[in-house]
PDB file of all heavy atoms in Angstrom:
ATOM      1  N   THR A 167     -20.142   6.179  20.553  1.00  0.00           N
ATOM      2  CA  THR A 167     -19.877   7.445  21.242  1.00  0.00           C
ATOM      3  C   THR A 167     -18.412   7.868  21.153  1.00  0.00           C
ATOM      4  O   THR A 167     -18.042   8.884  21.725  1.00  0.00           O
ATOM      5  CB  THR A 167     -20.292   7.363  22.728  1.00  0.00           C
ATOM      6  OG1 THR A 167     -19.617   6.255  23.338  1.00  0.00           O
ATOM      7  CG2 THR A 167     -21.791   7.212  22.871  1.00  0.00           C
ATOM      8  N   ALA A 168     -17.606   7.091  20.454  1.00  0.00           N
ATOM      9  CA  ALA A 168     -16.182   7.423  20.300  1.00  0.00           C
ATOM     10  C   ALA A 168     -16.024   8.685  19.460  1.00  0.00           C
ATOM     11  O   ALA A 168     -16.820   8.938  18.559  1.00  0.00           O
ATOM     12  CB  ALA A 168     -15.449   6.258  19.636  1.00  0.00           C
ATOM     13  N   PRO A 169     -15.008   9.491  19.759  1.00  0.00           N
ATOM     14  CA  PRO A 169     -14.746  10.655  18.911  1.00  0.00           C
ATOM     15  C   PRO A 169     -14.470  10.219  17.468  1.00  0.00           C
ATOM     16  O   PRO A 169     -13.974   9.120  17.232  1.00  0.00           O
ATOM     17  CB  PRO A 169     -13.485  11.275  19.531  1.00  0.00           C
ATOM     18  CG  PRO A 169     -13.420  10.737  20.910  1.00  0.00           C
ATOM     19  CD  PRO A 169     -14.080   9.391  20.884  1.00  0.00           C
ATOM     20  N   LYS A 170     -14.770  11.094  16.544  1.00  0.00           N
ATOM     21  CA  LYS A 170     -14.608  10.752  15.121  1.00  0.00           C
ATOM     22  C   LYS A 170     -13.157  10.455  14.759  1.00  0.00           C
ATOM     23  O   LYS A 170     -12.883   9.693  13.848  1.00  0.00           O
ATOM     24  CB  LYS A 170     -15.147  11.882  14.250  1.00  0.00           C
ATOM     25  CG  LYS A 170     -16.646  12.008  14.341  1.00  0.00           C
ATOM     26  CD  LYS A 170     -17.179  13.127  13.497  1.00  0.00           C
ATOM     27  CE  LYS A 170     -18.687  13.149  13.681  1.00  0.00           C
ATOM     28  NZ  LYS A 170     -19.354  14.230  13.102  1.00  0.00           N
ATOM     29  N   ASN A 171     -12.233  11.053  15.480  1.00  0.00           N
ATOM     30  CA  ASN A 171     -10.818  10.857  15.170  1.00  0.00           C
ATOM     31  C   ASN A 171     -10.179   9.758  16.031  1.00  0.00           C
ATOM     32  O   ASN A 171      -8.958   9.699  16.156  1.00  0.00           O
ATOM     33  CB  ASN A 171     -10.052  12.166  15.330  1.00  0.00           C
ATOM     34  CG  ASN A 171     -10.031  12.660  16.769  1.00  0.00           C
ATOM     35  OD1 ASN A 171     -10.766  12.175  17.624  1.00  0.00           O
ATOM     36  ND2 ASN A 171      -9.196  13.640  17.029  1.00  0.00           N
ATOM     37  N   ALA A 172     -10.966   8.873  16.594  1.00  0.00           N
ATOM     38  CA  ALA A 172     -10.447   7.843  17.503  1.00  0.00           C
ATOM     39  C   ALA A 172      -9.436   6.927  16.830  1.00  0.00           C
ATOM     40  O   ALA A 172      -8.398   6.599  17.417  1.00  0.00           O
ATOM     41  CB  ALA A 172     -11.596   7.024  18.095  1.00  0.00           C
ATOM     42  N   VAL A 173      -9.707   6.518  15.614  1.00  0.00           N
ATOM     43  CA  VAL A 173      -8.786   5.617  14.909  1.00  0.00           C
ATOM     44  C   VAL A 173      -7.460   6.326  14.639  1.00  0.00           C
ATOM     45  O   VAL A 173      -6.386   5.746  14.821  1.00  0.00           O
ATOM     46  CB  VAL A 173      -9.424   5.086  13.606  1.00  0.00           C
ATOM     47  CG1 VAL A 173      -8.425   4.293  12.788  1.00  0.00           C
ATOM     48  CG2 VAL A 173     -10.651   4.241  13.922  1.00  0.00           C
ATOM     49  N   VAL A 174      -7.522   7.579  14.246  1.00  0.00           N
ATOM     50  CA  VAL A 174      -6.306   8.360  14.002  1.00  0.00           C
ATOM     51  C   VAL A 174      -5.516   8.518  15.301  1.00  0.00           C
ATOM     52  O   VAL A 174      -4.287   8.381  15.314  1.00  0.00           O
ATOM     53  CB  VAL A 174      -6.649   9.736  13.384  1.00  0.00           C
ATOM     54  CG1 VAL A 174      -5.429  10.632  13.293  1.00  0.00           C
ATOM     55  CG2 VAL A 174      -7.298   9.554  12.029  1.00  0.00           C
ATOM     56  N   ARG A 175      -6.216   8.789  16.390  1.00  0.00           N
ATOM     57  CA  ARG A 175      -5.549   8.932  17.693  1.00  0.00           C
ATOM     58  C   ARG A 175      -4.878   7.621  18.101  1.00  0.00           C
ATOM     59  O   ARG A 175      -3.771   7.624  18.630  1.00  0.00           O
ATOM     60  CB  ARG A 175      -6.550   9.367  18.766  1.00  0.00           C
ATOM     61  CG  ARG A 175      -7.236  10.707  18.541  1.00  0.00           C
ATOM     62  CD  ARG A 175      -6.353  11.923  18.774  1.00  0.00           C
ATOM     63  NE  ARG A 175      -5.845  12.056  20.088  1.00  0.00           N
ATOM     64  CZ  ARG A 175      -6.396  12.754  21.068  1.00  0.00           C
ATOM     65  NH1 ARG A 175      -7.519  13.415  20.846  1.00  0.00           N
ATOM     66  NH2 ARG A 175      -5.829  12.823  22.246  1.00  0.00           N
ATOM     67  N   LEU A 176      -5.555   6.492  17.856  1.00  0.00           N
ATOM     68  CA  LEU A 176      -4.965   5.185  18.143  1.00  0.00           C
ATOM     69  C   LEU A 176      -3.706   4.975  17.299  1.00  0.00           C
ATOM     70  O   LEU A 176      -2.667   4.557  17.823  1.00  0.00           O
ATOM     71  CB  LEU A 176      -5.977   4.067  17.878  1.00  0.00           C
ATOM     72  CG  LEU A 176      -5.428   2.642  17.944  1.00  0.00           C
ATOM     73  CD1 LEU A 176      -4.892   2.329  19.339  1.00  0.00           C
ATOM     74  CD2 LEU A 176      -6.508   1.647  17.537  1.00  0.00           C
ATOM     75  N   GLN A 177      -3.800   5.259  16.024  1.00  0.00           N
ATOM     76  CA  GLN A 177      -2.641   5.079  15.139  1.00  0.00           C
ATOM     77  C   GLN A 177      -1.476   5.976  15.554  1.00  0.00           C
ATOM     78  O   GLN A 177      -0.318   5.542  15.544  1.00  0.00           O
ATOM     79  CB  GLN A 177      -3.037   5.352  13.681  1.00  0.00           C
ATOM     80  CG  GLN A 177      -3.972   4.303  13.126  1.00  0.00           C
ATOM     81  CD  GLN A 177      -4.584   4.696  11.788  1.00  0.00           C
ATOM     82  OE1 GLN A 177      -4.617   5.868  11.416  1.00  0.00           O
ATOM     83  NE2 GLN A 177      -5.097   3.700  11.073  1.00  0.00           N
ATOM     84  N   ASN A 178      -1.757   7.212  15.931  1.00  0.00           N
ATOM     85  CA  ASN A 178      -0.706   8.119  16.403  1.00  0.00           C
ATOM     86  C   ASN A 178      -0.047   7.593  17.669  1.00  0.00           C
ATOM     87  O   ASN A 178       1.175   7.642  17.809  1.00  0.00           O
ATOM     88  CB  ASN A 178      -1.257   9.524  16.638  1.00  0.00           C
ATOM     89  CG  ASN A 178      -1.601  10.244  15.359  1.00  0.00           C
ATOM     90  OD1 ASN A 178      -1.152   9.868  14.282  1.00  0.00           O
ATOM     91  ND2 ASN A 178      -2.422  11.279  15.476  1.00  0.00           N
ATOM     92  N   ALA A 179      -0.867   7.099  18.597  1.00  0.00           N
ATOM     93  CA  ALA A 179      -0.321   6.551  19.845  1.00  0.00           C
ATOM     94  C   ALA A 179       0.538   5.319  19.563  1.00  0.00           C
ATOM     95  O   ALA A 179       1.610   5.146  20.166  1.00  0.00           O
ATOM     96  CB  ALA A 179      -1.459   6.203  20.806  1.00  0.00           C
ATOM     97  N   GLN A 180       0.092   4.472  18.649  1.00  0.00           N
ATOM     98  CA  GLN A 180       0.879   3.292  18.279  1.00  0.00           C
ATOM     99  C   GLN A 180       2.205   3.702  17.646  1.00  0.00           C
ATOM    100  O   GLN A 180       3.252   3.106  17.916  1.00  0.00           O
ATOM    101  CB  GLN A 180       0.082   2.395  17.323  1.00  0.00           C
ATOM    102  CG  GLN A 180      -1.065   1.685  17.994  1.00  0.00           C
ATOM    103  CD  GLN A 180      -1.990   0.995  17.000  1.00  0.00           C
ATOM    104  OE1 GLN A 180      -2.178   1.448  15.869  1.00  0.00           O
ATOM    105  NE2 GLN A 180      -2.601  -0.110  17.434  1.00  0.00           N
ATOM    106  N   LEU A 181       2.170   4.722  16.810  1.00  0.00           N
ATOM    107  CA  LEU A 181       3.381   5.217  16.160  1.00  0.00           C
ATOM    108  C   LEU A 181       4.365   5.766  17.190  1.00  0.00           C
ATOM    109  O   LEU A 181       5.561   5.443  17.159  1.00  0.00           O
ATOM    110  CB  LEU A 181       3.016   6.280  15.115  1.00  0.00           C
ATOM    111  CG  LEU A 181       4.171   6.920  14.361  1.00  0.00           C
ATOM    112  CD1 LEU A 181       4.906   5.871  13.522  1.00  0.00           C
ATOM    113  CD2 LEU A 181       3.663   8.047  13.482  1.00  0.00           C
ATOM    114  N   ILE A 182       3.877   6.593  18.086  1.00  0.00           N
ATOM    115  CA  ILE A 182       4.745   7.172  19.116  1.00  0.00           C
ATOM    116  C   ILE A 182       5.308   6.080  20.015  1.00  0.00           C
ATOM    117  O   ILE A 182       6.487   6.094  20.387  1.00  0.00           O
ATOM    118  CB  ILE A 182       3.997   8.249  19.929  1.00  0.00           C
ATOM    119  CG1 ILE A 182       3.680   9.446  19.029  1.00  0.00           C
ATOM    120  CG2 ILE A 182       4.824   8.696  21.128  1.00  0.00           C
ATOM    121  CD1 ILE A 182       2.755  10.473  19.653  1.00  0.00           C
ATOM    122  N   ARG A 183       4.488   5.088  20.364  1.00  0.00           N
ATOM    123  CA  ARG A 183       4.965   3.957  21.172  1.00  0.00           C
ATOM    124  C   ARG A 183       6.085   3.229  20.447  1.00  0.00           C
ATOM    125  O   ARG A 183       7.114   2.895  21.038  1.00  0.00           O
ATOM    126  CB  ARG A 183       3.817   3.010  21.497  1.00  0.00           C
ATOM    127  CG  ARG A 183       4.253   1.801  22.321  1.00  0.00           C
ATOM    128  CD  ARG A 183       3.111   0.899  22.637  1.00  0.00           C
ATOM    129  NE  ARG A 183       2.602   0.281  21.415  1.00  0.00           N
ATOM    130  CZ  ARG A 183       1.634  -0.626  21.387  1.00  0.00           C
ATOM    131  NH1 ARG A 183       1.057  -1.008  22.505  1.00  0.00           N
ATOM    132  NH2 ARG A 183       1.226  -1.141  20.250  1.00  0.00           N
ATOM    133  N   SER A 184       5.916   2.997  19.147  1.00  0.00           N
ATOM    134  CA  SER A 184       6.947   2.312  18.357  1.00  0.00           C
ATOM    135  C   SER A 184       8.230   3.129  18.283  1.00  0.00           C
ATOM    136  O   SER A 184       9.334   2.594  18.420  1.00  0.00           O
ATOM    137  CB  SER A 184       6.434   2.034  16.948  1.00  0.00           C
ATOM    138  OG  SER A 184       5.332   1.170  16.986  1.00  0.00           O
ATOM    139  N   ILE A 185       8.096   4.423  18.059  1.00  0.00           N
ATOM    140  CA  ILE A 185       9.276   5.302  17.994  1.00  0.00           C
ATOM    141  C   ILE A 185      10.007   5.293  19.330  1.00  0.00           C
ATOM    142  O   ILE A 185      11.240   5.202  19.367  1.00  0.00           O
ATOM    143  CB  ILE A 185       8.866   6.738  17.583  1.00  0.00           C
ATOM    144  CG1 ILE A 185       8.403   6.756  16.131  1.00  0.00           C
ATOM    145  CG2 ILE A 185      10.014   7.720  17.807  1.00  0.00           C
ATOM    146  CD1 ILE A 185       7.760   8.059  15.695  1.00  0.00           C
ATOM    147  N   ASN A 186       9.262   5.377  20.429  1.00  0.00           N
ATOM    148  CA  ASN A 186       9.886   5.352  21.755  1.00  0.00           C
ATOM    149  C   ASN A 186      10.607   4.045  22.015  1.00  0.00           C
ATOM    150  O   ASN A 186      11.682   4.029  22.607  1.00  0.00           O
ATOM    151  CB  ASN A 186       8.848   5.613  22.849  1.00  0.00           C
ATOM    152  CG  ASN A 186       8.503   7.069  22.977  1.00  0.00           C
ATOM    153  OD1 ASN A 186       9.188   7.933  22.434  1.00  0.00           O
ATOM    154  ND2 ASN A 186       7.434   7.363  23.689  1.00  0.00           N
ATOM    155  N   SER A 187      10.016   2.939  21.611  1.00  0.00           N
ATOM    156  CA  SER A 187      10.670   1.644  21.847  1.00  0.00           C
ATOM    157  C   SER A 187      11.931   1.514  21.004  1.00  0.00           C
ATOM    158  O   SER A 187      12.927   0.951  21.438  1.00  0.00           O
ATOM    159  CB  SER A 187       9.704   0.473  21.595  1.00  0.00           C
ATOM    160  OG  SER A 187       9.367   0.401  20.233  1.00  0.00           O
ATOM    161  N   LEU A 188      11.938   2.056  19.765  1.00  0.00           N
ATOM    162  CA  LEU A 188      13.136   2.052  18.928  1.00  0.00           C
ATOM    163  C   LEU A 188      14.224   2.929  19.530  1.00  0.00           C
ATOM    164  O   LEU A 188      15.388   2.568  19.535  1.00  0.00           O
ATOM    165  CB  LEU A 188      12.813   2.536  17.515  1.00  0.00           C
ATOM    166  CG  LEU A 188      12.024   1.580  16.630  1.00  0.00           C
ATOM    167  CD1 LEU A 188      11.659   2.261  15.315  1.00  0.00           C
ATOM    168  CD2 LEU A 188      12.807   0.315  16.372  1.00  0.00           C
TER     169      LEU A 188
END
Side-chain angles (χ1 to χ4, degrees):
T167 56
K170 291 179 180 172
N171 65 347
V173 173
V174 172
R175 299 286 299 267
L176 172 62
Q177 291 169 340
N178 289 342
Q180 289 170 328
L181 179 64
I182 293 171
R183 179 179 67 176
S184 297
I185 291 170
N186 282 347
S187 67
L188 287 174

